[in-house]
Amino acid sequence: MDPVIIVGAGPVGLTLALALARQEVPCVLLDEGPGKDEQRLARTVVLREDTTALVTRLTGFPLAEAGLRWAGWRSMRRRQVVREVRFDLAEDTVGRTTGRADRADRGRTDGGRAGGDRVGWGDGGPRSGSAAPDAPEVSAGPAPVHLAQHVLTGALREAIAGERLVKVAVDSRLDSIEQEASGITAHTRGPKGTWWRGSYLVGCDGPRSTVRKLQDIRFPGRTAVERHAVAALRTKLPWPDEALLHRAPSWRTSGPAAGEVTARPLPDGVWRLDWLLPPGKDLVTPDVLVARIRETLAGWTEGSTPPYDLLDTGVHTVHHRLARRWRAGRVFLAGDAAHLLGALGTHGLDEGLRDADNLAWKLALAWHHGPHEGLLDSYQAERRAVVAARLRAADQALPVLRGGGGLRSYVLGSSRGHDALLADSHLGRGPLGAPGAYADSPLAPPRSESETTVATPPGTTVVDVRVTAEDGAFVRLRDRLGRGALLVVLVAPGTGVWERRHWVSAGIMPRLAAAVTALPHPAELLVTESYPGAAAHTVLLIRPDGHLVTALSGVRPADLYAAAEATLGGTGGTGRT
């Protein structure tokens, strides 16, 4: 069968190519450029837990070491710290850096002072003029990873270079597409212009997608929703390794440009600073940007401007757009070719990587086992709905958060509600930031009497617990994703202290193993000591992209089979209400 053609060699296209290759699907990657990326420290990405795990699994590259996991997060308004989040960066039992789900001691504030003390920024930093609103909280999840985009792309390219199933064609600009019942042909132009034959084609070619235009797919939305002046610089700030969102800083007292500045740390003492710009197309001259840098740094240190090295600058313009269709026959769209978002602290690359993760296992199944039209159609139904919901939430919040109006019509409270909403979007929480769920997916199985409740609702991503694999090895659950197989996880307390040979043939294991073998698609049987909210003998069915299909109370072969069949786009899928 012909390979899958991927147009565009950015992070999304590279990730999709690797994800398909890991499932034994050959790909041709059409790269319009020379196969190298410009190094820009002012162009960075923030990856959440699930997307960090995805890239790490595909590349073997330690993203957390190449980038920086934030030690904490601060939200400030004028001179007051209104919210503090601490990430517990202690390593867990398998040596990974994660956050802890505990809450901080509510009777303590920053630095361990009594609750009535004033909030400080550490030695030499500004202090607020009022009491702390709350004690610092410890995050319920791992810290985001912040790194330069060229570092991410470089890691993906290095992994691609060693992948036998991926052919990269550089200096290849797409010119035309021809679809047939049996496949698709892509014609390229340029120094190496030629034609390529494929089974499917995926456009990962960015906001000005040639694939989208050739398929005559509309891309409505809003232009220049936000603009930010960006600077990457090396300096010392009062809160090492902590990110900051500062609204209405005290040193700027007038004009919409005074509204907001964000500081996000990178390795080696480098910081990315973003200033929200007023609406319009005013040029950000070098003199204006340098003045903004000096003013901001002096304000944060309550004195003269500290020494700094300016490394890179830019202007980041945010657009909100959503393609009408994400599939046209054998052609699909992913990443910026399908959607643009990024206002209010959200990050579009996260969604692009989730597009690749969602589409890869579906294309792989269709490539290996023949057309599964319902399964392929579900890519648009699931991913477009998630991104559309995020865009709607941002469009509803923008007039309130940026327009100066009251918040009461959306969120009870005052400016603190604004700050909480913005902080959650930066941290990957709430309607603006949390990973989307596929609860209403056409692949969701019908409800059954054996279905039980766990802490993970159906359609959301599973928690990364330790599991025992079929060879007896202890591994992480997310390390078993992306192989094309369904995962069946049995919750069996006590199995972790015994060798697998002692319990693999005891109790309900033989019956469950037989049920897994009989499923309509290859599945891997795993066992875990515990899973959040799950009782003993709960059986979890998980998709190859890590989303929970269902949780069953005990071994129910018929219900497990029906859920697996629905997950593959079979007639059992009815969606959930």
Side-chain angles (χ1 to χ4, degrees), residues 52 56 61-69 96-97 143-147 267:
T52 299
T56 301
F61 184 75
L63 287 182
E65 296 176 15
L68 185 76
R69 282 195 186 274
R96 297 189 176 188
T97 303
V145 174
H146 186 209
L147 73 162

Side-chain angles (χ1 to χ4, degrees), residues 121 402 484:
W121 287 46
R402 302 303 192 214

Side-chain angles (χ1 to χ4, degrees), residues 2-362:
D2 295 319
V4 173
I5 300 172
I6 300 172
V7 182
V12 175
L14 293 166
T15 298
L16 178 60
L18 280 174
L20 286 170
R22 295 293 186 268
Q23 298 173 66
E24 297 298 318
V25 177
C27 305
V28 172
L29 187 63
L30 303 183
D31 188 350
E32 182 178 326
K36 298 180 180 179
D37 300 285
E38 183 182 8
Q39 297 192 4
R40 294 288 309 277
L41 287 174
R43 189 176 187 185
T44 65
V45 296
V46 179
L47 300 183
R48 311 300 177 197
E49 178 188 11
D50 60 322
T51 50
T52 299
L54 168 65
V55 175
T56 301
R57 184 175 71 243
L58 291 174
T59 64
F61 184 75
L63 287 182
E65 296 176 15
L68 185 76
R69 282 195 186 274
W70 298 341
W73 169 271
R74 292 170 184 254
S75 295
M76 287 198 69
R77 188 170 182 84
R78 298 186 177 89
R79 293 175 58 84
Q80 182 181 3
V81 178
V82 296
R83 186 178 185 185
E84 294 183 73
V85 177
R86 294 284 182 266
F87 296 105
D88 184 350
L89 299 183
E91 289 188 341
D92 65 9
T93 55
V94 293
R96 297 189 176 188
T97 303
T98 62
R100 184 178 298 164
D102 305 324
R103 299 289 296 180
D105 182 350
R106 306 306 294 179
R108 299 175 65 86
T109 57
D110 189 21
R113 294 181 295 272
D117 289 349
R118 296 174 183 271
V119 176
W121 287 46
D123 295 340
R127 297 181 180 274
S128 82
S130 61
D134 266 320
E137 65 179 81
V138 177
S139 171
V145 174
H146 186 209
L147 73 162
Q149 183 166 317
H150 68 262
V151 174
L152 170 64
T153 307
L156 291 165
R157 285 191 185 277
E158 185 175 352
I160 287 281
E163 182 50 67
R164 63 179 177 82
L165 290 176
V166 179
K167 178 179 178 57
V168 181
V170 299
D171 298 319
S172 297
R173 182 179 178 84
L174 183 67
D175 187 59
S176 63
I177 298 172
E178 298 173 5
Q179 283 203 63
E180 305 167 10
S182 59
I184 194 164
T185 303
H187 297 266
T188 60
R189 54 188 168 95
K192 299 182 179 181
T194 184
W195 60 273
W196 301 89
R197 184 66 178 173
S199 53
Y200 299 95
L201 183 146
V202 186
C204 304
D205 49 342
R208 296 180 176 86
S209 171
T210 301
V211 173
R212 189 184 63 240
K213 294 173 183 176
L214 289 174
Q215 297 303 299
D216 196 24
I217 297 174
R218 293 185 58 200
F219 198 39
R222 301 171 60 191
T223 301
V225 175
E226 286 185 351
R227 286 198 315 148
H228 296 261
V230 182
L233 49 91
R234 182 177 286 109
T235 190
K236 289 185 178 180
L237 293 180
W239 57 97
D241 297 343
E242 294 185 14
L244 169 76
L245 172 66
H246 198 164
R247 305 190 73 215
S250 58
W251 60 87
R252 297 189 65 82
T253 58
S254 63
E260 188 174 300
V261 57
T262 306
R264 289 173 284 190
L266 287 162
D268 302 322
V270 177
W271 293 81
R272 170 173 168 168
L273 272 58
D274 292 63
W275 292 269
L276 178 65
L277 297 172
K281 298 182 179 180
D282 295 339
L283 293 177
V284 181
T285 65
D287 289 343
V288 169
L289 186 56
V290 168
R292 187 68 59 86
I293 292 171
R294 295 180 62 85
E295 173 187 65
T296 301
L297 296 182
W300 281 338
T301 56
E302 282 197 338
S304 59
T305 303
Y308 70 92
D309 294 324
L310 184 58
L311 306 174
D312 194 14
T313 62
V315 174
H316 174 53
T317 302
V318 176
H319 310 286
H320 278 181
R321 294 188 179 275
L322 185 66
R324 292 290 192 193
R325 293 179 292 143
W326 290 27
R327 182 188 182 192
R330 291 180 175 269
V331 176
F332 299 83
L333 300 178
D336 287 350
H339 52 77
L340 295 176
L341 67 161
L344 306 177
T346 58
H347 298 277
L349 181 57
D350 257 341
E351 295 300 345
L353 296 178
R354 290 170 185 143
D355 294 344
D357 200 20
N358 183 289
L359 182 58
W361 72 273
K362 298 173 181 178

